Amino acid sequence: MTPVTPNSSGVLERRRVRVDRGFSRSSPRPQGRSRRRNQKTPWLYLAPALVVLGGLLVYPVYQLGLISFFEYTQAQVSGGEPTTFQGFGNYSELFSDPQFWQVLLATVVFAAACVVSTLAVGCALAVLLTRVRAVPRLALMLAALGAWATPAITGSTVWLFLFDPDFGPVNRLLGLGDHSWTYGRFSAFFLVLLEVVWCSFPFVMVTVYAGIRSVPAEVLEAAALDGASQWRIWRSVLAPMLRPILVVVTIQSVIWDFKVFTQIYVMTNGGGIAGQNLVLNVYAYQKAFASSQYSLGSAIGVVMLLILLAVTLVYLRLLRRQGEEL
Amino acid sequence: MNPARLVRRPWRLLAEASALLIAVVVAFPLYWMVLGAFKPAGEIESSEPRPWTLDPSLDSFRRVFEQNEFGRYFVNSLVVACTVVIASALIAFLAATAVTRFRFRFRTTLLIMFLVAQMVPVEALTIPLFFLMRDFGQLNTLGSLILPHIAFSLPFAIWMLRGFVKAVPEAIEEAAYIDGASRSRFLWQILFPLVFPGLVATSVFSFISAWNDFLFAKSFIISDTSQSTLPMALLVFYKPDEPDWGGVMAASTVMTIPVLIFFVLVQRRLVSGLGGAVKD
């Protein structure tokens, strides 16, 4: 209970108790009956979120797992045949398919390349932004916001047009003649990577820039006066102060880049020539909706889920180590 | 702060020159998109593309808008995106208030769940969601696009709004109650306006995810094309073997403009909002 303030009337005192129903991290938890009463309000506020998330996220995840253990093809979906329990049958079928391992490897390498490039470009440009006056800064900021605002599908088609072997300006500029970027496996992945970096570096740049701006000027000036080089300032002063932000943007990038779908689907025409540019997401989609193997598609989805879950656990441990209070 | 002062002059000029150059490179795809939309038919399919056009035409736009129901697709996309933005902002605001302003059992568990929920690969859920929508008779409706996107933008929105709700001093809340404000009055008339910049910053993310939706539209809107959204309209012009580049660029331009407008409107708040979220 709150300590009774000497000049408080009864009415005020009662209100005081109501205040306690909140949060205030500093005040001790209310005990006993009042505590049970204020357990209601937060749940009331949480109700809409929990209903939506329960129905459209938790339940579908459960369903995804369920489908992956049963036999689900066109016959079962249209209700013609009863479904049968497969146990890990779908998974063993998946793991014995060499294409699955190839796609898994491609996904991990591609996502890693995207994350590293995005972070490098984003951080470098964030530092550059702090080094220039208002006009160039605004120009770069606006250009970046434009790239960020571009929808995935329009970005994909515009980049295809830029690199088009017949009508695109890039090949003319580089003197490549009618070299096709989407024909070779690596050059197609590289083209998608460029587009992904182009549309996702702005988030990193803006966030890190906001972070650098929140570092007190005195600290930087002191370091500069002590004769630290730019690189040294970045490594020994800014990087440690920015670590929480860097963790956040890294994790967000990992999540987004691991799940890239539209760019691959549109730019490599559904996964490239003979599926050479498939990533897990597109692979699962093709399995489920193109060849009606819903259970195999779901099993691939479960594998993705588990990989991302592992990433989350690493993230949580990092947060814990920083002693962040949830 | 102004670190620009710390940099010696020639270096600063070099930095500014490269910043401008990079800005040009980053903006170039967008310029090429708009240019391609205005180029006349013969010019866009030329093997010697010029970075300007001497006789801009509206032919490509005309083709796009004459395509059956393009306007309808546009409205559909807008309805989906706006509904998602408003609904997820309100729901996330309530949830973020609950997890930051109250102490209750399972609070930390919930927070971790919201974090884990961000990791769920949305696309993988297309399969169970397809069955769910089918069983509830929601296939071929805008609801089948709106509902999942509200759910998928919520976890990130709640996570991001936490910082903003936390930043509102508790003294304000106590003062409001002492002055006799009710809980709901404090929530909507005091806390909501204070957190509004944060809501704008988070709404950018939910708007983009809904406006970008391609997979759900492709998977759930299968027989009734009047419920389709813009990406489907764009794909009409994009045939991988024989694309109508003029049409694709014009449709892309029309599809990108609303997002650009939205970004320009919220640009300030977005940058300060992200700063607020990370300072947390």
Side-chain angles (χ1 to χ4, degrees), chain A residues 14-26:
Chain A
R14 217 166 334 130
R15 287 249 168 79
R16 265 304 179 86
V17 175
R18 276 191 59 190
V19 172
D20 243 351
R21 254 197 235 175
F23 23 67
S24 130
R25 240 167 295 157
S26 50

Side-chain angles (χ1 to χ4, degrees), chain A residues 59-98:
Chain A
Y59 178 70
V61 167
Y62 159 77
Q63 278 274 324
L64 183 80
L66 206 61
I67 294 171
S68 73
F69 286 113
F70 282 85
E71 186 188 6
Y72 252 94
T73 56
Q74 199 50 51
Q76 283 83 15
V77 172
S78 54
E81 279 179 45
T83 180
T84 50
F85 182 70
Q86 296 283 313
F88 283 96
N90 293 317
Y91 289 93
S92 58
E93 186 180 340
L94 194 65
F95 295 156
S96 61
D97 180 1

